Amino acid sequence: MNKKFYIYIRSMKFPPYNYLLVLTFLFYSTLGLAYDKDMKVADLTANAEVSLLTVGRADHEIWQNFGHTAIRVKDSILGWDLVYNYGTFNFGEPDFLMKFIRGKLMYYESIDSFGEFEQMYREENRWIREQELNLTQEQKQLLFERLTINAREENKYYKYDFLFDNCSTRPRNIILSLFKKIEFAKDADDEASFRDLIDRNVHNEWLDLGMDILIGLPTDKEAGYGRTFLPDELMEFCDSAVVDGKPLVSSNQLILDTIPEYTSKRIITPGLVFWLLFLVILVLQIKFSFFSRFKIIPVVWFTLLGLLGWLFLFMWLGTDHHSTKWNLNILWAMPLNIPFFFFALKKSISKPILTFIKIYRIVLICLLLGWCLNPQTYHNAVIPLICISIFFTSLFLQVPTKEDFKKRLFN
């Protein structure tokens, strides 16, 4: 066994009886690698069981909101109880944060003992359901070989994609590749969009707002079969699937339950905060003409929206995330606010700047009037933000007089 594997095993907190299990497995794997990269994977016995593990969602961390999927291979004769996990990444990787933001972070398949896997989710208070797969001995062996070979250093890395290549779609693809004919029942969620499915799993409304404004048009498509990018959707899909004339799943049982936790309902929501902000701005202007006298505040407002717009543009053009492409939120968080509104503080605003402000206001009004007709679904908390923006743009434009209307009509 090489030093890298030894250090890795020593760093893992396995119960004593699991050391032998993992060391035995790695012995077979590394022994073959020393002579032949394409060595034959050890044969499973007739007692082997293969199952799909689904872990429930949680709200403690962002990545826990969508659950998790893994594949379990258990062979009581060989003493193996292994979990193959495609959702692993390395926090210590150089430029981790930038790679994560740009969608260039490499995820990889890892192998854990089931005891360690279960203990981790017990500590996080998340349920685990196990679906035993209805496979022939040949199919179990083939799946085991593919999982084992894919876990080797030269094969295990892949570029993660939230919707189309993740810890749920990889197990789905490798399991379904064993069969020639796949049928599954229609589901109500087939007609849901990717955005609907994401919203359903994010219970924190501030986080939901953040995700909603960062993702674009691709997530508004009907998910269909693609709904299985979510672990619990994949579990439901597998329960109804018929493969080569037989049910894919022979049993589905809860093997780890959660302990009920008290969660207080959040009263301060984005919608409430932004509507209150709009009312305060309206009152200050009506009673004191506050923002007409201090136009620096509207300029700061549009600068913040401009920064947000440039972020949307970066996530669209500067990253590999498919879900952040074609983000129409840039219509209200206009990137061109920077630098155009910097020139709006002058006593005499130039004609090009005024033209931009007029066009921007028209776009904002059209967004509100055509709210339900827009191809992209906006978060409802965006409505007061648009209202504030329409109000602030009006401060930079003259109110038309009767003479102005006459000139437009008769000249």
Side-chain angles (χ1 to χ4, degrees):
M1 184 185 303
N2 62 34
K3 186 177 180 182
K4 184 177 178 181
F5 272 127
Y6 178 73
I7 294 172
Y8 175 71
I9 295 301
R10 287 293 301 273
S11 68
M12 297 177 73
K13 299 177 181 178
F14 288 118
Y17 61 84
N18 276 333
Y19 275 106
L20 182 60
L21 180 156
V22 178
L23 289 172
T24 304
F25 175 78
L26 291 177
F27 171 76
Y28 280 110
S29 299
T30 54
L31 183 65
L33 283 173
Y35 299 100
D36 183 4
K37 284 188 177 182
D38 298 321
M39 67 93 177
K40 188 178 184 300
V41 177
D43 291 331
L44 296 173
T45 70
N47 280 41
E49 299 173 2
V50 178
S51 56
L52 186 70
L53 300 176
T54 303
V55 181
R57 61 171 306 284
D59 294 309
H60 310 301
E61 303 290 347
I62 293 176
W63 58 82
Q64 294 177 346
N65 279 266
F66 305 99
H68 186 53
T69 298
I71 297 175
R72 181 183 185 184
V73 177
K74 181 180 180 181
D75 194 317
S76 56
I77 300 298
L78 294 176
W80 292 354
D81 197 351
L82 304 171
V83 175
Y84 294 81
N85 174 15
Y86 281 96
T88 316
F89 57 88
N90 181 12
F91 275 109
E93 186 172 338
D95 299 321
F96 169 82
L97 185 59
M98 185 52 65
K99 287 179 181 177
F100 180 79
I101 292 171
R102 296 192 63 197
K104 296 183 181 294
L105 184 66
M106 301 302 287
Y107 279 57
Y108 60 92
E109 180 192 355
S110 61
I111 306 172
D112 306 303
S113 75
F114 176 74
E116 183 76 4
F117 181 87
E118 182 187 34
Q119 182 59 31
M120 178 172 62
Y121 292 112
R122 188 183 297 277
E123 291 171 2
E124 293 181 4
N125 194 26
R126 298 166 68 183
W127 56 259
I128 302 176
R129 295 198 73 91
E130 181 175 29
Q131 293 166 288
E132 187 175 347
L133 301 178
N134 189 13
L135 307 178
T136 64
Q137 185 64 26
E138 291 74 21
Q139 288 170 333
K140 291 176 186 178
Q141 182 64 33
L142 181 57
L143 180 61
F144 175 63
E145 289 176 0
R146 289 177 179 175
L147 289 169
T148 303
I149 292 170
N150 285 344
R152 293 176 184 169
E153 187 65 24
E154 66 272 19
N155 301 325
K156 68 180 182 180
Y157 294 97
Y158 72 98
K159 192 161 69 171
Y160 178 89
D161 183 276
F162 178 55
L163 295 182
F164 306 111
D165 200 356
N166 63 17
C167 70
S168 180
T169 62
R170 289 245 160 182
R172 176 198 70 192
N173 293 343
I174 201 167
I175 290 170
L176 296 184
S177 68
L178 301 171
F179 309 100
K180 295 178 181 177
K181 186 179 180 182
I182 303 163
E183 299 171 297
F184 53 93
K186 290 284 184 181
D187 190 279
D189 287 341
D190 289 341
E191 297 179 4
S193 68
F194 288 103
R195 188 185 298 272
D196 292 334
L197 295 168
I198 292 168
D199 287 346
R200 191 184 303 170
N201 283 271
V202 182
H203 296 171
N204 182 310
E205 292 195 49
W206 287 97
L207 177 59
D208 180 49
L209 170 64
M211 293 195 68
D212 235 4
I213 64 175
L214 274 178
I215 56 180
L217 269 176
T219 60
D220 288 286
K221 294 178 181 177
E222 191 176 281
Y225 167 77
R227 67 185 172 87
T228 51
F229 82 98
L230 291 172
D232 60 336
E233 294 288 343
L234 177 61
M235 180 177 68
E236 291 177 11
F237 169 90
C238 290
D239 273 338
S240 71
V242 176
V243 289
D244 295 342
K246 63 180 182 180
L248 174 60
V249 172
S250 57
S251 67
N252 183 338
Q253 58 181 339
L254 184 70
I255 58 175
L256 177 63
D257 204 355
T258 57
I259 300 170
E261 293 179 329
Y262 171 75
T263 53
S264 57
K265 190 174 182 180
R266 297 174 185 269
I267 301 173
I268 303 175
T269 63
L272 176 63
V273 170
F274 296 153
W275 277 118
L276 286 175
L277 178 62
F278 174 67
L279 289 174
V280 169
I281 288 171
L282 209 58
V283 169
L284 285 174
Q285 178 62 21
I286 292 170
K287 291 200 65 133
F288 309 106
S289 298
F290 185 81
F291 300 103
S292 295
R293 289 187 290 135
F294 301 101
K295 288 188 177 178
I296 183 65
I297 296 174
V299 169
V300 169
W301 171 265
F302 289 121
T303 300
L304 292 174
L305 292 189
L307 289 171
L308 200 55
W310 283 110
L311 173 63
F312 297 154
L313 210 56
F314 169 74
M315 296 301 292
W316 178 349
L317 302 175
T319 74
D320 293 341
H321 298 293
H322 289 94
S323 56
T324 59
K325 308 295 183 188
W326 296 99
N327 189 349
L328 299 186
N329 280 295
I330 63 171
L331 294 176
W332 61 268
M334 185 73 74
L336 291 178
N337 286 355
I338 302 173
F340 274 77
F341 272 97
F342 292 161
F343 300 100
L345 284 174
K346 294 183 177 180
K347 288 184 179 179
S348 178
I349 303 176
S350 64
K351 192 173 180 180
I353 302 301
L354 284 174
T355 302
F356 169 76
I357 295 173
K358 287 177 183 178
I359 293 172
Y360 183 34
R361 185 170 67 170
I362 291 169
V363 170
L364 292 172
I365 292 170
C366 289
L367 279 176
L368 283 185
L369 294 177
W371 187 259
C372 297
L373 302 176
N374 201 295
Q376 178 171 318
T377 303
Y378 294 117
H379 195 285
N380 287 331
V382 166
I383 295 176
L385 300 181
I386 295 176
C387 290
I388 293 170
S389 299
I390 292 172
F391 177 74
F392 277 161
T393 53
S394 302
L395 298 176
F396 295 96
L397 302 173
Q398 270 189 333
V399 178
T401 62
K402 288 182 180 180
E403 287 72 21
D404 291 329
F405 282 114
K406 286 178 182 178
K407 286 178 184 178
R408 291 177 187 177
L409 288 172
F410 301 109
N411 292 339

